[in-house]
Amino acid sequence: MIEEKGLPELFGSNVFNEETMKERLSAASYNAWKTCITNAQPLDLATANEIAQAMKQWAVEKGATHYTHWFQPMTGVTAEKHDSFIQPAGGGKIVMDFSGKELVRGEPDASSFPSGGLRATFEARGYTAWDPTSFAFIKDGSLCIPTIFCSYSGQALDKKTPLLRSMDEVSRQSIRILRLFGDTESNRVLAQVGPEQEYFLVDKELYNQREDLKLTGRTLFGIKPPRGQELEDHYFGQLKPRVAAYMKDLDEELWKVGVLSKTKHNEVAPSQHEMAPVYSGANAACDQNQLAMEIMKKVADRHGFVCLLHEKPFAGVNGSGKHDNWSLSTDTGVNLFKPGSTPGENAQFLLFLAAFVKGVDEYQEALRCTVASAGNDHRLGAQEAPPAIISIFLGDELDAVVRSIIEGKSYKGSGKHSIQIGIDVLPSIPQDNTDRNRTSPMAFTGNKFEFRMLGSGQSISGPNIALNTIMAQELKEFADTLEKSKNFQSDLQKLIKKTFTDHQRIIFNGNGYDESWIKEAKKRGLANLVSTADALPEYVSKKNIALYVDNNVYTEEEVRARGAIHVETYNATIEIEARTMIDMIHRQILPAASAYTAELCQRAAALKAAGVVVEYEKNTATNTAILTDTLAAACSKLEADFAKVPADPDKAMKYLHKTIIKDMDDARSASDALEAVVDEQYWPFPVYADLLFSE
């Protein structure tokens, strides 16, 4: 058990963080690194060599034997190539060495990573380059060095490079605005992110008996158990001992590598849980969320669990998302989305809010694309997650402020309120200026926006790249206008009013789950891109390409490449699911159902010979045989249609969405009907009741 005084020592103990650098580097090298971070200046080779030697010595003292450039290719997961520190020293001896050149640059083979056409398969050379803004750490006996990943010609092949570009651009444009308000002290604005991570835990032994879980991450078959989440007793409920032990172990492992794991609790569905960190800079938050997902799976394995990060592992109960809390803060500690005590009079806050509202309205399709995936299609709009329609929730007070600006009226704040509980011994509770709206895709929660549409298993880089870039674009337009102003205060008020007036359609404070909202959103002209197949063509629209290119986040080729990769990933996901479904039907479900039918027939014959009534056996055998034939026919149709998938990726995406998914739904319905009548001992794999209540 960790003593309270030991936790600060444990936290970051496997991270080559700023404190460790200060201890192990010369003052000159430490200051050079600080200047590199603050002013975005490259390090000289001598400094890089000293940092490399200090890193190596520190890592070796902690038992590391290898180092790896840890990067994030466009697979959505991380990648590593490990090299040992050993160097020949003559006479059959070795020394442990690590140079500045090895720290700063690596050269992994790039041929087998997705590129979306940025390079041909035979163009194998790729480069990794150290990101000095993200701390190195030790994992599994290797020193892991966070890096960017690019092609031989310098095109970004990863998720970190464009994120860093977007952070630079939103900082640059934010500073322009701050200077107009007289802020001469802030030199940088940092996008701050806190991703809440939902996940399922299932028993490893049961998991290994489910081919669909192992190959696709979700159950392709299965009926709801008699009890699911109806009693609402799992949410924030007492942790079961086995889960509590897992979470304790998980926290300690995350703390060692500097992940600010703060909150843990049961989520809505049985076997579903959540981990939430403290906010940090977007780059570190993205790195740490990737690391957290990996560690969650490893720790689960130690405890006899499997951690499922699929957006919808089980039909019929809530799936898992990842709420992305995003804000902007200056390097002097000012949160630019904090309204203050009088938001109606805080012009700087209102201008940043106006930029956000305008950006989300103008680029709603771009934001929708960043959360589009085959897994997330099962969640969005399913009364458990926000709808696929992008809108912004501001809360009563802030909405009233915006309305007063649009209408040209004075806003009279209602002041701070307290909630009276009605029990004398309890104190009153200060009331926030906004409630939570879990049905909103983009909810203002006091000093940040919560982007609630992300899927559990996805990298958070894409959504945050989009948020940063959209905000940078709008701030740039505002700065271009206001820097030319001859009457700043007057033009500022006009700009804020015009922006809120022109883009008020994106603000919606109601129930996003209500069917009436779909009709209302259509009247407002908001996009309703229901599925990934609907959304992804927008990724490479002229407007969205211009957004990223004009803000130096992607080249046009890089945007198109990512659009192509998203399509390829969607297609591959559905195709793997279809093949897995066909395999399980042929090799597991149909033989089991047939065996059960035969057993019923044998039992009926024996009972009839003994003069016993056999109506149950006869009826059940007949019903099972009919359902078996129905499933076989559904599987045959799926196979026949699957053979016709077009070669063109875009056409294939539409075909898979329209035809193959429907065939899979039909096959699942037939199988689930069989599961409902086949004796449990004959069913070939664990059912939902076993999986969901296996903790």
Side-chain angles (χ1 to χ4, degrees):
M1 184 173 181
I2 303 172
E3 299 292 337
E4 183 178 352
K5 63 181 180 180
L7 184 51
E9 296 175 3
L10 176 74
F11 186 84
S13 56
N14 284 346
V15 183
F16 193 72
N17 53 29
E18 186 168 350
E19 181 181 356
T20 304
M21 294 174 77
K22 197 169 187 178
E23 291 174 356
R24 291 177 174 263
L25 296 177
S26 66
S29 291
Y30 172 78
N31 289 332
W33 172 79
K34 287 288 287 184
T35 301
C36 165
I37 302 302
T38 305
N39 300 332
Q41 295 178 357
L43 288 172
D44 61 83
L45 184 58
T47 301
N49 279 329
E50 184 179 336
I51 293 175
Q53 285 301 310
M55 251 190 214
K56 182 265 298 180
Q57 187 61 38
W58 169 81
V60 169
E61 289 172 10
K62 289 187 168 289
T65 57
H66 289 68
Y67 70 92
T68 178
H69 278 194
W70 185 79
F71 57 101
Q72 300 171 39
M74 291 185 288
T75 55
V77 294
T78 58
E80 308 165 3
K81 185 187 81 168
H82 299 256
D83 290 294
S84 71
F85 290 121
I86 66 171
Q87 298 287 350
K93 300 290 185 179
I94 62 163
V95 294
M96 304 286 272
D97 197 20
F98 183 51
S99 69
K101 182 179 178 181
E102 290 169 318
L103 166 65
V104 171
R105 196 187 86 164
E107 195 176 317
D109 189 322
S111 62
S112 296
F113 289 110
S115 73
L118 286 177
R119 46 127 192 87
T121 303
F122 64 84
E123 296 172 328
R125 192 181 298 277
Y127 295 113
T128 51
W130 177 37
D131 170 18
T133 66
S134 187
F135 296 130
F137 57 91
I138 293 173
K139 177 173 68 73
D140 299 330
S142 286
L143 172 66
C144 298
I145 303 158
T147 61
I148 62 100
F149 179 47
C150 65
S151 69
Y152 178 73
S153 55
Q155 294 162 311
L157 295 176
D158 68 337
K159 293 178 177 289
K160 178 185 278 283
T161 302
L163 177 65
L164 291 171
R165 292 171 182 168
S166 73
M167 291 174 67
D168 283 347
E169 191 61 22
V170 76
S171 175
R172 186 177 301 113
Q173 301 305 332
S174 296
I175 291 296
R176 289 178 66 191
I177 295 294
L178 293 178
R179 292 290 185 263
L180 290 169
F181 283 93
D183 181 346
T184 58
E185 296 183 2
S186 300
N187 292 308
R188 185 166 178 80
V189 169
L190 187 65
Q192 298 275 1
V193 173
E196 305 167 25
Q197 179 70 58
E198 295 176 347
Y199 61 97
F200 279 83
L201 292 176
V202 298
D203 186 270
K204 180 165 57 174
E205 184 177 343
L206 297 176
Y207 167 90
N208 284 329
Q209 298 174 53
R210 295 277 316 211
E211 181 182 347
D212 48 1
L213 276 178
K214 289 194 293 183
L215 298 185
T216 73
R218 74 179 183 102
T219 50
L220 300 175
F221 305 97
I223 56 176
K224 286 180 61 177
R227 174 188 171 186
Q229 62 191 51
E230 295 86 356
L231 295 177
E232 301 176 336
D233 57 339
H234 191 260
Y235 192 46
F236 283 12
Q238 181 178 352
L239 300 176
K240 295 177 182 177
R242 191 176 169 198
V243 174
Y246 163 78
M247 288 182 170
K248 179 180 180 296
D249 197 2
L250 174 63
D251 272 340
E252 293 180 11
E253 292 297 325
L254 292 175
W255 290 336
K256 286 178 187 177
V257 292
V259 177
L260 290 157
S261 178
K262 178 74 172 177
T263 302
K264 58 185 179 183
H265 62 83
N266 289 343
E267 256 298 333
V268 173
S271 296
Q272 187 185 32
H273 311 281
E274 180 177 301
M275 182 279 292
V278 177
Y279 302 92
S280 57
N283 184 35
C286 292
D287 283 359
Q288 291 182 359
N289 185 249
Q290 291 293 135
L291 187 57
M293 289 191 288
E294 177 186 334
I295 292 174
M296 289 165 75
K297 293 180 179 180
K298 289 182 178 178
V299 174
D301 186 68
R302 294 207 296 257
H303 288 260
F305 285 128
V306 172
C307 176
L308 301 178
L309 294 175
H310 192 283
E311 287 74 20
K312 193 75 170 180
F314 305 100
V317 297
N318 277 18
S320 296
K322 181 148 50 185
H323 301 164
D324 188 83
N325 296 276
W326 178 92
S327 188
L328 295 174
S329 293
T330 69
D331 55 2
T332 57
V334 176
N335 185 331
L336 298 176
F337 282 105
K338 187 173 183 179
S341 58
T342 55
E345 300 172 6
N346 187 341
Q348 179 176 290
F349 161 74
L350 289 172
L351 187 64
F352 275 89
L353 177 65
F356 188 85
V357 168
K358 180 174 182 284
V360 173
D361 185 24
E362 290 184 338
Y363 296 103
Q364 52 190 282
E365 298 90 349
L367 286 167
R368 173 67 180 92
C369 289
T370 67
V371 297
S373 70
N376 222 12
D377 280 356
H378 297 286
R379 290 180 60 248
L380 298 180
Q383 306 295 303
E384 64 180 69
I389 304 165
I390 300 282
S391 65
I392 297 175
F393 168 81
L394 293 180
D396 292 341
E397 182 175 7
L398 203 50
D399 185 64
V401 171
V402 171
R403 294 294 159 203
S404 70
I405 292 171
I406 292 172
E407 295 168 6
K409 299 178 181 178
S410 297
Y411 171 71
K412 294 182 179 180
S414 54
K416 290 289 183 181
H417 295 281
S418 294
I419 302 173
Q420 300 299 324
I421 305 300
I423 302 174
D424 291 341
V425 74
L426 296 179
S428 60
I429 301 174
Q431 188 178 35
D432 291 322
N433 62 5
T434 175
D435 196 356
R436 290 184 178 271
N437 187 336
R438 62 178 291 112
T439 74
S440 176
M442 192 75 73
F444 184 74
T445 57
N447 60 4
K448 60 188 180 298
F449 282 94
E450 185 178 24
F451 191 13
R452 299 176 57 88
M453 297 177 75
L454 282 69
S456 174
Q458 77 169 100
S459 165
I460 65 173
S461 290
N464 286 293
I465 290 168
L467 288 170
N468 293 343
T469 309
I470 289 167
M471 195 66 183
Q473 173 65 30
E474 304 304 343
L475 292 175
K476 177 169 62 177
E477 292 181 15
F478 285 2
D480 288 345
T481 297
L482 293 173
E483 284 172 350
K484 300 172 185 175
S485 173
K486 296 181 180 179
N487 188 333
F488 177 72
Q489 291 299 331
S490 175
D491 289 343
L492 173 64
Q493 291 178 26
K494 292 176 183 176
L495 177 60
I496 291 174
K497 179 176 181 178
K498 183 178 189 316
T499 302
F500 284 138
T501 301
D502 291 348
H503 299 283
Q504 58 186 303
R505 67 172 184 169
I506 200 72
I507 299 172
F508 176 65
N509 290 329
N511 181 6
Y513 291 171
D514 197 298
E515 287 295 319
S516 63
W517 168 232
I518 298 175
K519 297 178 182 177
E520 172 63 23
K522 186 176 182 180
K523 287 181 182 178
R524 296 187 185 193
L526 300 180
N528 185 11
L529 303 172
V530 177
S531 71
T532 297
D534 298 318
L536 287 184
E538 294 292 333
Y539 199 100
V540 291
S541 70
K542 184 177 180 180
K543 180 177 72 172
N544 291 335
I545 289 175
L547 169 70
Y548 292 116
V549 173
D550 292 349
N551 287 282
N552 304 307
V553 173
Y554 295 122
T555 64
E556 181 171 346
E557 293 74 20
E558 288 171 342
V559 179
R560 293 191 179 280
R562 279 155 179 78
I565 289 170
H566 285 309
V567 172
E568 291 168 5
T569 301
Y570 175 85
N571 292 352
T573 300
I574 302 301
E575 289 171 2
I576 290 169
E577 289 182 352
R579 288 196 296 267
T580 302
M581 179 171 269
I582 292 167
D583 188 62
M584 292 178 72
I585 290 171
H586 279 311
R587 297 200 305 119
Q588 297 182 39
I589 300 175
L590 290 178
S594 179
Y596 179 56
T597 305
E599 168 63 22
L600 286 170
C601 292
Q602 291 173 8
R603 195 186 309 169
L607 290 171
K608 184 177 181 180
V612 178
V613 176
V614 293
E615 289 303 312
Y616 167 75
E617 284 76 13
K618 284 173 56 180
N619 291 340
T620 305
T622 300
N623 189 28
T624 305
I626 292 171
L627 291 173
T628 302
D629 286 347
T630 301
L631 175 59
C635 185
S636 294
K637 186 174 189 310
L638 172 59
E639 289 180 278
D641 287 342
F642 190 66
K644 302 174 186 175
V645 176
D648 177 77
D650 292 324
K651 292 179 181 178
M653 177 176 66
K654 294 176 182 177
Y655 180 83
L656 290 165
H657 173 67
K658 181 179 178 180
T659 303
I660 299 302
I661 289 179
K662 183 182 182 304
D663 287 349
M664 291 172 64
D665 288 342
D666 291 343
R668 177 173 190 152
S669 295
S671 172
D672 290 353
L674 260 178
E675 182 187 327
V677 299
V678 171
D679 191 308
E680 184 177 354
Q681 66 177 325
Y682 281 88
W683 198 247
F685 40 74
V687 297
Y688 270 23
D690 294 332
L691 290 164
L692 282 170
F693 295 93
S694 65
E695 296 176 341

